[in-house]
Amino acid sequence: MAASRILVVDDDDDIRGLVRALLDAQDGRAGLRELYAGSPDLVILDVAMPGLDGWETLERIREVSDVPVLMLTARDAELERVRGLRGGADDYVVKPFGRQELVARVDVLLRRPRTAGAQETYSDARLSISFARRSVRYDDREVALTRLEYRLLSAFVGHPNQVLSHDQLRELVWGESLATSRDEVKLYVGYLRRKLAPDAPGGTPIETVRGFGYRYRTPV
C-alpha cells in the first residue's frame, strides 16, 4: 500500500486524512480533475458531496477508467449498497467505520488483479470481446455489462472449459472482497446470463457444475 496512489474524494477533512498516500479532492469535479491528471491505483469516493455527488462522479469515472472504487456513505441501506456495486463500485463502507476496517478493505482492493492483461480480444462462435474498448457482443448483439459483470465474463473466457469454484471466482473477480459471499457470486452469474441471453439465460455457455462452481464451455 505504501507505493500506491490513493485518491480520496470527500468533503470531510478527517476522512481525507485517514490515508497517507493520497491525492486530495473536496468534491466530485475536483476529484475527476485529479483522476485525469494522476492515474491513481484506488479511489475512495464519498456518496454525499456538494455539486457533483458520488453517484455522478462514479459514472464519470467508469466512462474513462477501470480503477478500483471504494464508496463511503452514511446510509446503511441494502438498496444503496446494491446501487453502488451495480454502478461500478468495487466495495462499500458505511460511516462511521473503524480505521482498521477501511485499511483492510483498501488493501484487498489494491491486491486484486486488474482486468485485461496481454490479451486484446476474445472470440468464439457466440461471443466476442474487445478488452481495449471493453465492448461485448453475444449472438451478434451488443451487450452492456456493469463492471462486475464484465470482470466475471473476463474470468470465464480467461479459463475456457475449466471449472471455476466460488472461491476462485471471488479471487479473480472480487479479489476475496470482505463483502463477497457465495450467494453474491451466484447472483452475479445470474445477472450475466440474463444480460447475454435475456430470452433464454439457461442456454448460455456458462454452465453450473453442481458441488463445484461454474464453467464457460466454449461454443463450437
Side-chain angles (χ1 to χ4, degrees):
M1 190 183 303
S4 301
R5 305 182 70 188
I6 301 174
L7 172 59
V8 181
V9 187
D10 197 299
D11 58 345
D12 188 319
D13 291 338
D14 291 336
I15 291 177
R16 292 203 310 273
L18 283 176
V19 185
R20 292 181 180 176
L22 60 85
L23 299 172
D24 219 3
Q26 295 183 359
D27 57 48
R29 290 186 177 85
L32 288 172
R33 288 195 295 269
E34 296 286 2
L35 175 73
Y36 301 148
S39 299
D41 300 301
L42 171 71
V43 175
I44 298 177
L45 178 62
D46 188 23
V47 169
M49 293 183 296
L52 200 67
D53 68 13
W55 304 121
E56 296 171 300
T57 304
L58 177 63
E59 184 177 352
R60 302 278 184 87
I61 289 173
R62 284 293 166 252
E63 290 174 355
V64 299
S65 176
D66 196 44
V67 63
V69 175
L70 173 66
M71 300 289 286
L72 303 179
T73 182
R75 296 181 58 187
D76 187 10
E78 181 180 2
L79 289 178
E80 183 116 334
R81 179 174 178 271
V82 170
R83 180 183 179 184
L85 293 174
R86 300 209 69 184
D90 296 88
D91 206 349
Y92 195 92
V93 176
V94 178
K95 303 176 185 176
F97 49 81
R99 294 193 178 204
Q100 290 185 352
E101 178 190 4
L102 180 63
V103 170
R105 290 180 182 272
V106 165
D107 186 53
V108 166
L109 291 177
L110 289 175
R111 287 188 289 107
R112 189 194 62 193
R114 301 288 292 272
T115 306
Q119 187 178 11
E120 295 183 359
T121 62
Y122 171 86
S123 181
D124 60 38
R126 304 187 70 180
L127 176 70
S128 62
I129 304 173
S130 170
F131 294 105
R133 297 194 303 271
R134 288 192 60 178
S135 64
V136 176
R137 295 189 69 83
Y138 183 79
D139 286 346
D140 204 29
R141 176 178 58 87
E142 194 78 23
V143 180
L145 300 179
T146 67
R147 174 180 166 79
L148 280 172
E149 291 163 354
Y150 177 79
R151 288 186 60 84
L152 182 59
L153 181 60
S154 298
F156 280 129
V157 301
H159 302 79
N161 302 308
Q162 176 182 333
V163 178
L164 297 175
S165 69
H166 290 85
D167 289 344
Q168 286 175 306
L169 288 171
R170 289 170 65 186
E171 173 64 30
L172 290 168
V173 180
W174 286 267
E176 292 186 337
S177 171
L178 301 177
T180 306
S181 65
R182 289 194 171 201
D183 287 341
E184 191 163 355
V185 173
K186 180 180 178 180
L187 183 68
Y188 274 90
V189 169
Y191 288 154
L192 179 57
R193 283 169 168 162
R194 288 192 291 274
K195 287 288 187 70
L196 294 177
D199 297 328
T204 71
I206 302 172
E207 301 179 343
T208 299
V209 182
R210 293 191 180 277
F212 292 94
Y214 302 93
R215 169 175 53 209
Y216 183 87
R217 186 178 292 279
T218 307
V220 293

mmCIF file of all heavy atoms in Angstrom, residues 1 17 19 24 31 34 55 75 85 101 104 125 131 149 179 181 194 217:
data_model
loop_
_atom_site.group_PDB
_atom_site.id
_atom_site.type_symbol
_atom_site.label_atom_id
_atom_site.label_comp_id
_atom_site.label_asym_id
_atom_site.label_seq_id
_atom_site.Cartn_x
_atom_site.Cartn_y
_atom_site.Cartn_z
ATOM 1 N N MET A 1 0.811 -1.197 0.000
ATOM 2 C CA MET A 1 0.000 0.000 0.000
ATOM 3 C C MET A 1 0.852 1.257 0.000
ATOM 4 O O MET A 1 0.455 2.292 -0.510
ATOM 5 C CB MET A 1 -0.928 0.003 1.218
ATOM 6 C CG MET A 1 -1.992 1.088 1.180
ATOM 7 S SD MET A 1 -3.008 1.098 2.660
ATOM 8 C CE MET A 1 -3.656 -0.551 2.672
ATOM 9 N N GLY A 17 -7.944 12.612 5.735
ATOM 10 C CA GLY A 17 -6.684 12.436 6.428
ATOM 11 C C GLY A 17 -6.401 11.024 6.871
ATOM 12 O O GLY A 17 -5.343 10.747 7.424
ATOM 13 N N VAL A 19 -5.843 8.365 5.053
ATOM 14 C CA VAL A 19 -4.904 7.656 4.198
ATOM 15 C C VAL A 19 -3.687 8.535 3.927
ATOM 16 O O VAL A 19 -3.827 9.689 3.532
ATOM 17 C CB VAL A 19 -5.571 7.274 2.860
ATOM 18 C CG1 VAL A 19 -4.614 6.434 2.016
ATOM 19 C CG2 VAL A 19 -6.849 6.512 3.125
ATOM 20 N N ASP A 24 -5.604 14.742 -2.807
ATOM 21 C CA ASP A 24 -6.704 15.328 -2.068
ATOM 22 C C ASP A 24 -7.705 16.011 -2.987
ATOM 23 O O ASP A 24 -7.325 16.737 -3.889
ATOM 24 C CB ASP A 24 -6.154 16.366 -1.081
ATOM 25 C CG ASP A 24 -6.887 16.332 0.243
ATOM 26 O OD1 ASP A 24 -7.764 15.475 0.393
ATOM 27 O OD2 ASP A 24 -6.571 17.159 1.110
ATOM 28 N N GLY A 31 -12.242 15.912 -7.801
ATOM 29 C CA GLY A 31 -11.766 14.532 -7.815
ATOM 30 C C GLY A 31 -11.528 14.030 -9.227
ATOM 31 O O GLY A 31 -10.536 13.345 -9.494
ATOM 32 N N GLU A 34 -8.301 15.402 -10.566
ATOM 33 C CA GLU A 34 -7.153 14.670 -10.024
ATOM 34 C C GLU A 34 -7.018 13.301 -10.683
ATOM 35 O O GLU A 34 -5.910 12.822 -10.937
ATOM 36 C CB GLU A 34 -7.300 14.513 -8.511
ATOM 37 C CG GLU A 34 -7.280 15.822 -7.723
ATOM 38 C CD GLU A 34 -5.876 16.407 -7.634
ATOM 39 O OE1 GLU A 34 -4.940 15.802 -8.213
ATOM 40 O OE2 GLU A 34 -5.722 17.456 -7.002
ATOM 41 N N TRP A 55 -22.563 9.426 -6.865
ATOM 42 C CA TRP A 55 -23.117 8.601 -7.932
ATOM 43 C C TRP A 55 -22.723 9.150 -9.308
ATOM 44 O O TRP A 55 -22.332 8.395 -10.200
ATOM 45 C CB TRP A 55 -24.648 8.548 -7.825
ATOM 46 C CG TRP A 55 -25.148 8.061 -6.511
ATOM 47 C CD1 TRP A 55 -25.963 8.729 -5.638
ATOM 48 C CD2 TRP A 55 -24.869 6.800 -5.883
ATOM 49 N NE1 TRP A 55 -26.207 7.961 -4.520
ATOM 50 C CE2 TRP A 55 -25.556 6.786 -4.650
ATOM 51 C CE3 TRP A 55 -24.109 5.694 -6.251
ATOM 52 C CZ2 TRP A 55 -25.498 5.690 -3.778
ATOM 53 C CZ3 TRP A 55 -24.052 4.608 -5.385
ATOM 54 C CH2 TRP A 55 -24.740 4.611 -4.174
ATOM 55 N N ARG A 75 -25.432 6.062 4.943
ATOM 56 C CA ARG A 75 -26.687 5.309 4.939
ATOM 57 C C ARG A 75 -26.412 3.817 4.843
ATOM 58 O O ARG A 75 -25.803 3.349 3.886
ATOM 59 C CB ARG A 75 -27.571 5.737 3.767
ATOM 60 C CG ARG A 75 -28.027 7.181 3.849
ATOM 61 C CD ARG A 75 -28.923 7.518 2.672
ATOM 62 N NE ARG A 75 -30.088 6.635 2.626
ATOM 63 C CZ ARG A 75 -30.966 6.612 1.618
ATOM 64 N NH1 ARG A 75 -30.776 7.377 0.565
ATOM 65 N NH2 ARG A 75 -32.003 5.806 1.650
ATOM 66 N N LEU A 85 -22.642 -0.955 -6.063
ATOM 67 C CA LEU A 85 -21.965 -2.094 -6.671
ATOM 68 C C LEU A 85 -22.363 -2.273 -8.130
ATOM 69 O O LEU A 85 -21.522 -2.526 -8.991
ATOM 70 C CB LEU A 85 -22.270 -3.374 -5.881
ATOM 71 C CG LEU A 85 -21.694 -3.431 -4.459
ATOM 72 C CD1 LEU A 85 -22.191 -4.677 -3.740
ATOM 73 C CD2 LEU A 85 -20.171 -3.402 -4.486
ATOM 74 N N GLU A 101 -10.820 -1.385 9.594
ATOM 75 C CA GLU A 101 -11.690 -1.923 8.548
ATOM 76 C C GLU A 101 -11.399 -1.243 7.217
ATOM 77 O O GLU A 101 -11.275 -1.900 6.178
ATOM 78 C CB GLU A 101 -13.162 -1.718 8.899
ATOM 79 C CG GLU A 101 -14.102 -2.222 7.802
ATOM 80 C CD GLU A 101 -15.544 -1.810 8.012
ATOM 81 O OE1 GLU A 101 -15.826 -1.058 8.962
ATOM 82 O OE2 GLU A 101 -16.391 -2.215 7.193
ATOM 83 N N ALA A 104 -8.116 -2.410 5.796
ATOM 84 C CA ALA A 104 -8.209 -3.789 5.308
ATOM 85 C C ALA A 104 -8.896 -3.838 3.952
ATOM 86 O O ALA A 104 -8.445 -4.554 3.036
ATOM 87 C CB ALA A 104 -8.967 -4.650 6.314
ATOM 88 N N ALA A 125 -17.723 -18.854 -31.202
ATOM 89 C CA ALA A 125 -18.857 -18.892 -32.128
ATOM 90 C C ALA A 125 -20.006 -17.983 -31.717
ATOM 91 O O ALA A 125 -20.822 -17.585 -32.562
ATOM 92 C CB ALA A 125 -19.354 -20.337 -32.270
ATOM 93 N N PHE A 131 -11.111 -6.158 -25.263
ATOM 94 C CA PHE A 131 -10.709 -5.714 -23.937
ATOM 95 C C PHE A 131 -10.244 -4.266 -23.957
ATOM 96 O O PHE A 131 -10.400 -3.549 -22.970
ATOM 97 C CB PHE A 131 -9.607 -6.630 -23.385
ATOM 98 C CG PHE A 131 -10.076 -8.029 -23.125
ATOM 99 C CD1 PHE A 131 -9.729 -9.066 -23.977
ATOM 100 C CD2 PHE A 131 -10.882 -8.312 -22.041
ATOM 101 C CE1 PHE A 131 -10.162 -10.363 -23.752
ATOM 102 C CE2 PHE A 131 -11.329 -9.601 -21.798
ATOM 103 C CZ PHE A 131 -10.972 -10.630 -22.656
ATOM 104 N N GLU A 149 -20.003 -7.510 -13.800
ATOM 105 C CA GLU A 149 -20.411 -8.493 -14.800
ATOM 106 C C GLU A 149 -19.319 -8.670 -15.855
ATOM 107 O O GLU A 149 -19.045 -9.794 -16.290
ATOM 108 C CB GLU A 149 -21.719 -8.036 -15.456
ATOM 109 C CG GLU A 149 -22.915 -8.095 -14.524
ATOM 110 C CD GLU A 149 -24.088 -7.275 -15.019
ATOM 111 O OE1 GLU A 149 -23.943 -6.567 -16.045
ATOM 112 O OE2 GLU A 149 -25.160 -7.320 -14.384
ATOM 113 N N ALA A 179 -16.734 -8.324 1.538
ATOM 114 C CA ALA A 179 -18.189 -8.253 1.462
ATOM 115 C C ALA A 179 -18.780 -9.311 0.533
ATOM 116 O O ALA A 179 -19.990 -9.370 0.358
ATOM 117 C CB ALA A 179 -18.613 -6.862 0.974
ATOM 118 N N SER A 181 -19.862 -13.004 -0.816
ATOM 119 C CA SER A 181 -20.250 -14.333 -0.362
ATOM 120 C C SER A 181 -20.506 -15.216 -1.572
ATOM 121 O O SER A 181 -20.551 -14.752 -2.716
ATOM 122 C CB SER A 181 -21.525 -14.259 0.486
ATOM 123 O OG SER A 181 -22.613 -13.830 -0.321
ATOM 124 N N ARG A 194 -28.464 -13.427 -17.825
ATOM 125 C CA ARG A 194 -29.624 -12.690 -18.343
ATOM 126 C C ARG A 194 -29.205 -11.561 -19.270
ATOM 127 O O ARG A 194 -29.940 -11.222 -20.199
ATOM 128 C CB ARG A 194 -30.461 -12.165 -17.182
ATOM 129 C CG ARG A 194 -31.233 -13.257 -16.447
ATOM 130 C CD ARG A 194 -32.270 -12.683 -15.501
ATOM 131 N NE ARG A 194 -31.672 -12.006 -14.367
ATOM 132 C CZ ARG A 194 -31.298 -12.613 -13.244
ATOM 133 N NH1 ARG A 194 -31.440 -13.930 -13.122
ATOM 134 N NH2 ARG A 194 -30.778 -11.933 -12.244
ATOM 135 N N ARG A 217 -18.242 -23.140 -21.203
ATOM 136 C CA ARG A 217 -17.951 -24.151 -22.223
ATOM 137 C C ARG A 217 -17.927 -23.455 -23.576
ATOM 138 O O ARG A 217 -18.942 -22.927 -24.041
ATOM 139 C CB ARG A 217 -19.000 -25.272 -22.206
ATOM 140 C CG ARG A 217 -18.651 -26.411 -23.149
ATOM 141 C CD ARG A 217 -19.688 -27.521 -23.078
ATOM 142 N NE ARG A 217 -19.683 -28.217 -21.801
ATOM 143 C CZ ARG A 217 -18.833 -29.160 -21.478
ATOM 144 N NH1 ARG A 217 -17.883 -29.523 -22.332
ATOM 145 N NH2 ARG A 217 -18.906 -29.757 -20.309
#
